[in-house]
Amino acid sequence: AMFARLASCSPLPFRTRQSNVCPVYIRAFSQAKFSLPRPHGKSFAHRSELKQAKRIVVKLGSAVVTRGDECGLALGRLASIVEQVAMLQNQGREMMIVTSGAVAFGKQRLRHEILLSQSVRQALHSGQNQLKDMSVPVLEARACAAAGQSGLMALYEAMFTQYSICTAQILVTNLDFHDEQKRRNLNSTLHELLRMNIVPIINTNDAVVPPPVPNSDLQGVNVISIKDNDSLAARLAVEMKVDLLIALSDVQGLYDSPPGTDDAKLIDIFYPGDQQSITYGTKSRVGIGGMEAKVKAALWALQGGTSVIIANGTDPKVTGHVITDIVEGKKVGTFFSEVKPAGPTVEQQTEMARHAGRTLASLLPEQRAEIICCLAELLIEKKEEILNANKKDMELATTLGRLSQPLINRLSLSTAKLNSLAIGLRQLAVSSRNSVGRVLRRTRVANNLELEQITVPIGVLLVIFESRPDCLPQVSALAIASGNALLLKGGKEASNTNKILHQLTQEALSIHGVADAIQLVSTREEVEDLCRLDKMIDLIIPRGSSQLVREIQRAAKGIPVLGHSEGICHVYIDSDASIDKALDIVKDSKCDYPAACNAMETLLIHRDLLRTPVFDQIIDMLRTEQVKIHAGPRFASYLTFSPSEVKSLRTEYGDLECCIEVVDSMQEAVDHIHKYGSSHTDVIVTENEETAEQFLQQVDSACVFWNSSSRFADGYRFGLGAEVGISTARIHARGPVGLEGLLTTKWVLRGEGHTVADFSEQGSMKYLHENIPVPQGSFN
């Protein structure tokens, strides 16, 4: 019945060919996973809104569909694109494809036929199997298109059949849009196909289309000449009230100058009126369009209410997910938008921070210390404003109910916290006088040739933090002290608090004219998008849950990440432990601040302490503090009625919960920590000095303590003034990362016209390599 209905339509001037390999049964839209009705007429303002796109056109340029030799199709690339389109179609979206490739497919087919024909004629003529070199004549594009259309469509049919999706081929020309009756027929057919969950495959009818007339298209909202698939896709998008047009080509997107030139930068968002700020390069290796044609078509579609993204469909690193990434709102390609954000883009913020950061690094140590002291004073002076902003965040978080109790605890600020922050910042101000430009080593390489190694800032830091607004002034002060530029990305749950704290930070920076050195990213940038700025950001420091840290470590492939993914901290109670010390340390390690990454998660107890007063008092104390206990496998085996057995010995609870496990010796405790720990902080409680020293030597963690709480693993408590986090990495910085962890070094060589040739066998100079003593506090 479905096919009969299509056949009963009035004769169409365009060609429609439906796949005959798919089943007639079409799934109803009411069963679709995606149903977000959206009135057409206004394009999306932000990438994050693209998830709402229901009707989508994917335009495949010639460079995407064809092979590098321009003869035949890029089958693997095409298959991955079909898979993504099928996935979105099966979500309930209405997908359409505007495709090139018929000419290339036909060229391959005709070349094969010509070569086969020539070889047969030569064989008959010569009577020999030895054939002369054969050349293929230049093939006319219309003939190639005529020969390739059927094969191209058969390929699409076969690919979409794998996902139980029907397709229909539609060939169009300019007349099909400019003639009112033909345009209505085309519109009606496309709507009918979409209603029945069929993917239309649309192309210009290159077998009959006349040569394109230069400068004849894009003359207004209601007039557009179809001279290539860019203009076709734009015209179709407006005609069908499409939500999103994805134009795939062989470049990453739109650049402010021709791609490949030294200063070319990818434009993230392009606005109408920005055409004068860019320079177009040459067109693609195949196809009849170019970037200028793509931009004109995109702006025409945007004016008609369709959002547009131009992206790379040929890069093997992204082709397999480029379309789905775009629909998910990820920063891919160039997004055409009619709405300009009020503030700078994150790329612009990064450039501003880097420029001001270099000025910050050139300030005298006393000037940087002055900025930090000013920030400390502002935290106390403006505490009422800070606490009022924090109260708004707390009330909203409680009302929405999206945050767990540990995260709400981290979100909360108090007068005591602000006072503690101010004290820490003043400590840091003192230590900052001995940071940037400090001479670490001085060597006399040869006479009048001296080498110095000095400390310098890392560059631009990106700190991403969840729920903890007190992190902002801490990290800002460390960046100031170390002369680093800083981008801050806080959670939206603390937006009001972060805003006032950042304003105070910039107020302090402004006393020496470097307010732009620290930027708060308040745009809708996803964390994954920030992690792709590998040419602009030098180090990422995540402050938050283990899930956040893992996601950032996965996403930041080109940028180093400093941090720890989990804080699975152990306290081991040795057989020679003091009961009083054990009680105090276990209580403080678990109950002082359970949500902290340095809180105890697993309590290891020597087997000899079971069924002793020491063990009983520890259990009673934990119950009094309302700590939920999970039994490890060995501990559970000793009990008739045990607490719930732990699901995993590698668990970070972040709450009033902990695991208890039994070990036979200190060495077994060390082995357990190495197997299940996260190399964060581990503690031994014992009066046996020899046992303690062995534990301190053998445990391979960032922090290892004897008879002291795990909660001491903190930059402020270590006297660092503040910390950007705790690192469990084994290179660069480890443990609480303070000022020293945010510095790197450079080598400075001072000579008097020295050359390497002077030190050859025939040269007149010899290397000395004498170490020159460096006085404490020596600066370059």
Side-chain angles (χ1 to χ4, degrees), residues 669-688:
V670 171
D671 293 341
H672 179 102
I673 290 169
H674 287 164
K675 185 174 182 179
Y676 299 108
S678 61
S679 301
H680 192 294
T681 301
D682 298 292
V683 177
I684 182 172
V685 182
T686 185
E687 296 302 300
N688 188 314

Side-chain angles (χ1 to χ4, degrees), residues 219-253:
Q219 299 168 6
V221 175
N222 298 316
V223 180
I224 180 172
S225 174
I226 309 300
K227 70 172 188 178
D228 54 38
N229 277 340
D230 295 311
S231 49
L232 169 60
R235 186 68 180 86
L236 181 72
V238 174
E239 174 69 29
M240 294 298 294
K241 296 182 171 57
V242 166
D243 297 317
L244 174 62
L245 166 59
I246 300 174
L248 297 183
S249 184
D250 57 351
V251 291
Q252 301 298 332

